[in-house]
Amino acid sequence: MLANPSCHAPLLHTNRWRCPLSCNIHRSLHPKKPSRRSSSLFFSTKSCSFGVRALAESQASELNPSSGEAAPGVAQPYSVKIPVGDRHILVETGHIGRQASGSVMVTDGETIVYTSVCLADVPSEPSDFLPLFVNYQERFSAAGRTSGGFFKREGKTKDHEGCALHKKARASRGMNVKGSMKHSMKEHMCSNKYGYTLSPPTSIFDTITDFCSPDVLICRLIDRPLRPTMPKGFYHETQILSWVLSYDGLHSPDSLAITAAGIAVALSEVPISKAIAGVRVGLVGNKFIINPTTKEMEDSELDLLVAGTDSAILMIEGYCNFLPEEKLLQAVEVGQDAVRAICNEVEALAKKYGKPKMLDAIKLPPPELYRHIEEIAGQRLGKVLQIKNKIPRRKALISLEEEVLTILTEEGYVSKDETLGTADTVQDLFEDEDEDEEVVVDGEVDEGDVHIKPIPRKSSPLLYSEVDVKLVFKEVTSKFLRRRIVEGGKRSDGRTPDGIRLINSQCGLLPRAHGSALFTRGETQSLAVVTVGDRQMAQRIDNLVGVEELKRFYLQYSFPPSCVGEVGRMGAPSRREIGHGMLAERALEPILPSEDDFPYTIRVESTITESNGSSSMASVCGGCLALQDAGVPVKYSIAGIAMGMVLNTEEFGGDGTPLILSDITGSEDASGDMDFKVAGTEDGITAFQMDIKVGGITLLIMKLALLQAKDGRKQILAEMLKCSPPPAKRLSKYAPLIHIMKVKPEKINAIIGSGGKKVKSIIEETGVEAIDTQDDGIVKITAKDLISLEKSKAIISSLTMVPTVGDIYRNCEIKSIATYGVFVEIAPGREGLCHISELSPSWLAKTEDAFKVGDQIDVKLIEINDKGQLRLSRKALLPNTNPEKPSSKQRTTKENAASQKAPDKGTLKQTVNMPKDGLGEVNAEQPNQTSSDPKHVSSDTSNSAADDALPQKIIKRLVSSGRDEPYANKGRPKKSIGKAVTSVSNKDESSLVNGEAKI
């Protein structure tokens, strides 16, 4: 194990604390403000430390001259197999990327991840921001394909400029927000936890744009466990680049990338405390699996990523389906055992082939500066931290820090201890005088001798660099906050360690939104808005597998600078925003209904309007309420809570037991040792994420945090039930209507048409928003109103119907005329040919002599050829001119007279049937009586009218009705008031979503 870097502090700063003026360069943290007084004797730190890496390499070559003869500064190829679960991973180094400080290629199956680590030769300006940058990229060539988008190259140029030019970005941002004041922006800052961006961004390089979300999320997974192992005071820019070079579709590269990064850093010159590794844990059939394959994950109830060292857990993140806390702890224990085995192998590999660590590059502030700041501001600092509200406390800290900066960087400070010790220092100056000096006996005074008593010299004031004062002031502030919590048992806002802030929530505050909720917990507030739509609203993801992935549910989290009362740059979402959004999204996903029960695409937007800690968990609570307000039939209500911890309580007079904090604020997050987010119901967990800022925690500490989080979730859920006004729990009247139809799969092409022309014409003609077809015969119609929905439904039903020989169609329009006959539209979009010989019983010379386009005629289907073309006849429906048989007109007159005598029995009864092919059929039943309706549709096998009054089968032209009210189309046909209107519906095959309909 590496020695604690802090033990080198006295050696590194021996000269700094002896000089009245600091011999380090004065580093201004406010470029735009006038710099404080400095001395022209100061020289650049960079000029003093540019040779650190070169000196280390030269010393290493002296210790191992043989390696220098073979290949100076280049590692030798080496490979080793490390057992992971039920298989091995292959680790290779020294073969690729030999000029990097550390490089490794890790193989699992046929999935290969290459990772390199490089350091800047010159250290950056000291700050509280660890200059660690991570980039992960899944190259499509790894799976033998290219991107399906317009840009064929993975990642645009500006994606990588954010990493290559971070130095320029830091020069513009510096520490524009003062060290201690960054607590107020901890919700948007990543200075101590994440090395991606600082907030508010002050340059175009601070905003990471156009990254694919999976890449961004895995970048965070790599960074979060590595950062706690980095020592304070190491300011050399460190860049970790990771690429997926090969992907077999079975072995996931994300957990492999964490382990590869840990191995590469262990082999490099970066002075980490311990090696790290990461594994995925799945749960299939009540059995935990280490690094399960993608096929095994399809049946897994748990998706857990664990990273840590051989002795502690550093990071966990996972999603599950309402697992209890006990099961989750078992999974973490299994993952920790696997991580420990990998780390032991990595430590052995690093001792044999790793490069010397750059321990001499660690530069810490002068140790006496901590004491000086406590002497100057300690008493007032304790009072300031008792201010409950965030903004007044922040302003008071800013004022106090300005006073400390003025004293230590401009006026100078003389410690009382140093003043008392000056007399001894001056006395030492006279010890070198002549040893033969005459000794004067008491009472005897030689008048010729002059005795001079040494007078204590006044100490010169000490001046320190501004950056050192800011860094130390921030650490002292954190120390006082932790001490107050441990000693007094009260937090800054007066709560006990397990207390929950005041909660208030309301729904329906945005009238035109489909669903909205405002969730407020203390000084953290989330405005959640839900929008529902069709398949076209789904988010498309281009992945390595090559299969188009559509997300029907996604949550987008945004954190504007105004939520912390600050000014900042607005732009593309940062990596932190993407990560927090994904955590909230995965927390809410298990409570959503299936697509069969609720065929909508769901989008949730969470805008943080106020922030003082735990904004991602506020997004979970607000998102759950907004989903209910939008009418989404969620399975359960869930809530989220963030837990914190003070690990070393003995330092402040405690008994050594870690102190767990519930519902932490921003300052407690920044000053604490843990950030553990847990979301779920009262009895089960759906999502969790833990980051550790110290050397790691044990399973016992994690168990305490989980049990305390469970009690906190129960309190929050009880408060959410008090929401006023409560969620509407029904679809908004502004939400689109979605009608689902089932047709024969072979009829889908008839709906789409050549090049999509038919479906486009239906959309334009009816005014619906979209028509989505699937290969299995499912057709989804999305419309804003019922009128357009009915029109498109009628057209699609007509296109997909299966006509039967003998069917009769009334009032059909002639669409076109040819020399050999006319084309008649028997249904919207469906035409048949009525030959000239079938138009009239008498001979016609020309079709145009008797008919024109637009005329309406009655026809009968007499033939369907092999190509599916329809042959119609008008002549078959005309009265028979044979005098031996009664004419149809005479028989109709008799029937009308009979029907007038018994009007009750002659009532026409219509029933609507929906066969599997999607055809709407209307059956007219006339028991014991013939209908008197002149538009009666009949079907017979002769050329004359119907000879009997048996029940008739009818297919009517489907048109829309503008008076239909919204309804749930679950087998209850809606009668239309328009002419000859039928509603195509069936309980098993067709449904309409609207209003309070149950899907």
Side-chain angles (χ1 to χ4, degrees), residues 349-558:
L349 179 64
K351 288 180 180 179
K352 190 173 182 179
Y353 295 98
K355 294 182 179 179
K357 300 300 180 182
M358 296 173 57
L359 296 176
D360 292 339
I362 300 174
K363 304 296 180 183
L364 297 174
E368 73 276 6
L369 187 55
Y370 293 85
R371 185 177 68 255
H372 296 339
I373 292 180
E374 290 186 16
E375 291 174 357
I376 297 172
Q379 194 170 13
R380 292 180 57 189
L381 192 57
K383 296 180 180 179
V384 169
L385 292 177
Q386 296 179 19
I387 301 175
K388 293 184 178 182
N389 294 330
K390 171 184 172 181
I391 300 299
R393 183 172 64 247
R394 183 179 70 185
K395 292 182 178 180
L397 283 172
I398 291 175
S399 177
L400 182 58
E401 186 186 34
E402 284 291 339
E403 294 183 18
V404 173
L405 283 170
T406 302
I407 295 174
L408 293 177
T409 62
E410 294 182 5
E411 298 176 359
Y413 178 72
V414 179
S415 175
K416 296 179 181 179
D417 296 337
E418 293 177 359
T419 303
L420 295 175
T422 306
D424 297 335
T425 304
V426 177
Q427 180 66 34
D428 294 339
L429 299 176
F430 297 91
E431 293 179 357
D432 296 335
E433 294 185 358
D434 190 0
E435 296 178 359
D436 297 334
E437 180 181 0
E438 183 180 356
V439 178
V440 180
V441 183
D442 293 341
E444 298 181 0
V445 178
D446 188 351
E447 295 181 359
D449 294 336
V450 179
H451 297 275
I452 303 175
K453 295 181 180 180
I455 300 175
R457 182 183 302 173
K458 185 178 181 180
S459 298
S460 301
L462 298 176
L463 295 179
Y464 297 91
S465 66
E466 187 176 350
V467 64
D468 286 342
V469 175
K470 286 178 176 292
L471 292 174
V472 175
F473 185 85
K474 179 177 180 179
E475 293 187 26
V476 172
T477 303
S478 297
K479 178 181 176 181
F480 273 65
L481 180 64
R482 293 155 64 92
R483 177 183 295 169
R484 168 178 166 78
I485 297 174
V486 175
E487 293 180 353
K490 295 289 184 180
R491 296 149 77 172
S492 294
D493 53 8
R495 287 182 293 150
T496 58
D498 59 349
I500 305 296
R501 290 175 288 179
L502 182 65
I503 294 176
N504 180 34
S505 55
Q506 63 180 108
C507 290
L509 66 160
L510 303 178
R512 298 289 296 192
H514 297 164
S516 59
L518 183 66
F519 179 83
T520 306
R521 179 165 51 195
E523 293 179 302
T524 299
Q525 189 177 76
S526 169
L527 176 61
V529 181
V530 172
T531 306
V532 296
D534 62 343
R535 183 183 175 91
Q536 301 298 323
M537 202 180 81
Q539 186 177 21
R540 287 169 170 79
I541 299 176
D542 202 1
N543 51 34
L544 287 178
V545 181
V547 179
E548 185 183 30
E549 181 180 350
L550 293 178
K551 290 177 63 175
R552 61 177 291 262
F553 169 68
Y554 50 95
L555 187 147
Q556 296 171 335
Y557 167 100
S558 64

Side-chain angles (χ1 to χ4, degrees), residues 803-971:
T804 304
V805 174
D807 292 342
I808 299 173
Y809 304 92
R810 300 292 186 184
N811 300 324
C812 299
E813 183 180 354
I814 298 177
K815 287 294 185 179
S816 60
I817 297 178
T819 56
Y820 47 85
V822 296
F823 287 92
V824 182
E825 186 183 50
I826 61 173
R830 196 65 183 270
E831 297 180 4
L833 173 63
C834 185
H835 195 265
I836 191 173
S837 61
E838 296 292 339
L839 287 173
S840 174
S842 59
W843 182 81
L844 286 177
K846 291 183 179 181
T847 308
E848 295 86 346
D849 294 342
F851 303 95
K852 62 180 182 297
V853 174
D855 288 348
Q856 292 184 349
I857 60 175
D858 299 338
V859 291
K860 178 180 180 180
L861 180 60
I862 59 176
E863 182 184 354
I864 304 175
N865 63 17
D866 297 336
K867 297 181 180 181
Q869 296 173 337
L870 308 180
R871 186 183 175 191
L872 306 173
S873 174
R874 175 177 174 270
K875 182 175 64 174
L877 299 179
L878 295 178
N880 194 346
T881 57
N882 190 344
E884 296 180 357
K885 294 184 179 181
S887 65
S888 176
K889 183 176 181 180
Q890 295 174 348
R891 185 174 56 183
T892 302
T893 303
K894 295 179 181 180
E895 291 174 351
N896 290 340
S899 63
Q900 292 176 0
K901 296 179 181 180
D904 295 336
K905 295 183 179 181
T907 302
L908 179 64
K909 181 180 179 182
Q910 292 187 354
T911 61
V912 181
N913 297 326
M914 180 66 184
K916 293 184 178 180
D917 58 3
L919 171 64
E921 297 180 350
V922 183
N923 291 338
E925 298 179 2
Q926 304 170 350
N928 302 325
Q929 190 68 25
T930 304
S931 172
S932 61
D933 186 1
K935 293 185 178 181
H936 173 68
V937 183
S938 61
S939 174
D940 60 5
T941 57
S942 66
N943 293 334
S944 63
D947 295 329
D948 51 41
L950 294 176
Q952 304 296 323
K953 180 179 180 182
I954 311 167
I955 299 179
K956 292 190 176 182
R957 302 187 61 219
L958 303 179
V959 297
S960 65
S961 171
R963 300 185 181 179
D964 290 344
E965 296 295 330
Y967 65 99
N969 194 351
K970 296 284 289 182

Side-chain angles (χ1 to χ4, degrees), residues 711-764:
D711 295 336
R713 291 200 312 273
K714 291 181 179 180
Q715 297 181 43
I716 298 171
L717 287 169
E719 293 296 326
M720 290 170 61
L721 292 176
K722 302 176 184 178
C723 178
S724 178
K729 295 187 178 181
R730 65 176 181 271
L731 282 175
S732 168
K733 61 182 179 180
Y734 301 112
L737 306 175
I738 293 183
H739 179 76
I740 303 175
M741 301 177 63
K742 175 69 175 178
V743 302
K744 289 186 176 181
E746 57 268 20
K747 295 292 182 178
I748 292 295
N749 290 334
I751 301 175
I752 299 175
S754 178
K757 292 181 180 179
K758 190 61 183 178
V759 69
K760 291 179 182 178
S761 65
I762 298 175
I763 294 174
E764 293 177 359

Side-chain angles (χ1 to χ4, degrees), residues 1-5 228-231 270-276 309 347 695:
M1 181 184 299
L2 298 175
N4 186 2
T229 65
M230 298 285 192
V270 179
I272 60 171
S273 57
K274 282 189 175 182
I276 72 151
T309 64
E347 292 280 3

Side-chain angles (χ1 to χ4, degrees), residues 18 114 307 405:
R18 287 185 181 273
Y114 167 70
L405 283 170

